[in-house]
Amino acid sequence: MLNILVTGGAGYIGSHTSLRLLEAGHNIVVLDNLYSGHRWAVSEEVAFYEGDIQDKQLVADIIDKHEIEAVVHFAGHIVVPESVADPAKYYQNNVVGSLDLIETCIQKDVKHFIFSSSAAVYGIPSTATVDETVTLEPINPYGKSKLMTEWTLQDLGFAAGDDFEFVALRYFNVAGAHSSGTLGQATPEATHLIKVACEAACGKRNGMSIFGTDYDTPDGTCIRDYIHVEDLAEAHLDALDYLFEGGKSTIVNCGYGRGFSVKDVVKTVKEVSGSDFSVTMESRRAGDPPQLIADNSKIKKMFNWQSRFDDLETICRSAYEWEKSRG
Ligand code: UFG
C-alpha cells in the first residue's frame, strides 16, 4: 500500500484513477481546486483538500502529514480552443503550476511522479500511427503546455539524479464512463465528440455537427484513437508499479493503436442510444489533424498494460448510460 497524492482527483480521469487506486488498496489524498472537478466524484473516505497545486505550502503540508510517496498529477486545464484564446491561463496553470508542484515534490523528497500528458504534443503527425520518438510539434498552447511540463520533468528529474523518477502518459482520445455507473465525464460545455454525441442522443442539445468531411481518410472525417477511461486509469497503476520496481523516467503513449472516424462514432452512439439525433455536416475545425493513432507497443512491453474495454460500442454505451443517468 502506498500513500499517493492525486492532484485533480475530482476531475474526469482523476476520479476514475482515484477509484482504481483505492480498489488496489492504496491510500490516496486528493488535492483539487474544483475549477472543473466535482466533490461528489471523490469518495467520502478519501482525505480531500480544496486547493491549488501552486500553493506550495499546502502541498508541502499534505506531503508531510500524509507521508506521501508518489504524486499522480492530473490537475490542469484541457480545452484546446480556450488555450488558443487565452494562452496565459494555460501557461500559468499547466506549466507554472506543474513546475511549482514538481519542485515541491523534489524538495520534500517525493521520488515518484506520474504526469497526465497528451497526444496533443504531436501536433499533426506525418505517420499513420505515432510512437514516442517522432518529432513533437504541438499546434496549440494546450499541447505546448503539456510538452513544456514533460521538459520540466526531464530537466528537474535529471538535476535530481536518482532521487526523482517520473512517467508521463500521453493520453489519446479518452472517453466512456465507469462500469459501476457512479463516475463519468461531467465537464460542462464539453467539446469532445463522444460526450457531445451522447448529449445529443439524450436530447440535451439540438443535434450536433461533424466538422470536416473532406479529409483524406476513408469516409472523409477525422480518425482518432478512442480509449476507455477505465483502461487509462489502469495504465496509471501500471506506471506506479513500474516506478516502484525501480523503473527509470519514461514517456509512453496511452491508446489502443487503432482508429475510428467521426462518422463511425456518431453511428455507434445512434445505435447504442436508439436515438436518430440530427447531424449537420460543417467545415473543418481549426487545428484538427486528419488522423491520430497511438503506436502502443512501448506501454504494452514496458508495463505489460492490458486493455479490457477496447471496443467502440462499449465505450459509447458507457458514455451514453452515464449521460442519461445524469438527467
Ligand atoms: N468533432 C466533431 N463534432 C463535435 C466534436 C468533435 O466533428 O461536436 C470531431 C473533431 O473535429 C475531431 C474529432 O471529432 O475531428 C475528435 O474531436 P475531440 O474534440 O473529441 O478530440 P480531439 O481529437 O480534438 O482532442 C482530444 C483532446 C485533446 C487531446 C487529443 C489527443 O481534447 O486534449 O484528443 O488525441 F490532446
Side-chain angles (χ1 to χ4, degrees):
M1 186 193 79
L2 299 169
N3 296 328
I4 302 169
L5 170 61
V6 182
T7 74
Y12 171 46
I13 304 168
S15 62
H16 284 78
T17 305
S18 295
L19 185 55
R20 185 69 193 91
L21 289 167
L22 286 173
E23 282 169 4
H26 295 300
N27 182 30
I28 70 160
V29 178
V30 167
L31 171 65
D32 197 303
N33 64 10
L34 298 183
Y35 175 84
S36 52
H38 303 275
R39 180 63 186 88
W40 54 256
V42 183
S43 159
E44 289 294 335
E45 306 150 31
V46 168
F48 180 85
Y49 292 84
E50 184 174 346
D52 205 278
I53 51 171
Q54 297 189 50
D55 185 342
K56 287 180 149 186
Q57 190 59 52
L58 173 63
V59 173
D61 289 347
I62 293 172
I63 290 171
D64 282 340
K65 182 172 177 206
H66 297 276
E67 298 175 11
I68 295 299
E69 301 164 272
V71 169
V72 185
H73 174 37
F74 295 97
H77 295 317
I78 57 157
V79 183
V80 175
E82 183 190 50
S83 79
V84 177
D86 189 359
K89 179 173 174 179
Y90 281 69
Y91 293 135
Q92 183 63 48
N93 190 58
N94 293 8
V95 180
V96 179
S98 295
L99 170 62
D100 286 341
L101 178 68
I102 296 160
E103 266 195 299
T104 311
C105 288
I106 292 173
Q107 280 160 6
K108 300 300 293 180
D109 209 23
V110 175
K111 294 184 165 54
H112 302 100
F113 196 98
I114 313 284
F115 172 57
S116 305
S117 190
S118 168
V121 299
Y122 293 118
I124 301 185
S126 53
T127 50
T129 61
V130 277
D131 70 25
E132 295 82 354
T133 64
V134 303
T135 313
L136 303 172
E137 291 182 279
I139 53 169
N140 50 59
Y142 168 72
K144 290 176 188 170
S145 76
K146 291 293 181 183
L147 182 53
M148 286 184 208
T149 304
E150 288 189 2
W151 287 338
T152 305
L153 282 164
Q154 283 169 338
D155 293 346
L156 272 67
F158 180 78
D162 290 340
D163 289 335
F164 185 81
E165 304 291 344
F166 73 89
V167 173
L169 300 170
R170 289 184 182 153
Y171 306 161
F172 280 66
N173 287 58
V174 190
H178 199 268
S179 27
S180 65
T182 55
L183 292 173
Q185 194 171 2
T187 331
E189 295 168 47
T191 56
H192 292 115
L193 177 64
I194 292 182
K195 172 88 177 157
V196 167
C198 290
E199 286 175 0
C202 291
K204 295 182 186 179
R205 52 171 84 217
N206 296 322
M208 62 169 291
S209 302
I210 290 181
F211 300 127
T213 52
D214 58 350
Y215 286 98
D216 186 15
T217 58
D219 69 14
T221 65
C222 289
I223 294 176
R224 293 289 182 276
D225 189 337
Y226 295 93
I227 171 173
H228 192 286
V229 63
E230 282 193 71
D231 279 334
L232 184 63
E234 197 66 30
H236 295 76
L237 263 87
D238 295 342
L240 279 168
D241 286 347
Y242 165 82
L243 287 179
F244 278 86
E245 283 160 12
K248 293 288 171 197
S249 295
T250 194
I251 297 176
V252 296
N253 284 340
C254 288
Y256 290 138
R258 51 92 190 109
F260 290 102
S261 73
V262 176
K263 282 187 177 167
D264 290 332
V265 169
V266 171
K267 181 168 169 277
T268 307
V269 173
K270 285 192 172 192
E271 279 165 8
V272 299
S273 64
S275 162
D276 189 19
F277 50 88
S278 102
V279 179
T280 316
M281 303 301 160
E282 293 203 25
S283 51
R284 295 181 178 196
R285 193 174 71 172
D288 278 341
Q291 174 163 314
L292 198 50
I293 301 177
D295 177 327
N296 63 5
S297 348
K298 187 172 174 185
I299 188 171
K300 282 180 164 166
K301 187 158 175 247
M302 211 167 199
F303 299 170
N304 193 25
W305 175 69
Q306 282 161 3
S307 57
R308 292 193 299 143
F309 302 94
D310 178 2
D311 176 66
L312 185 62
E313 194 182 312
T314 304
I315 293 172
C316 292
R317 190 182 299 283
S318 70
Y320 170 68
E321 294 296 342
W322 164 255
E323 200 60 58
K324 199 171 61 171
S325 74
R326 285 176 48 80

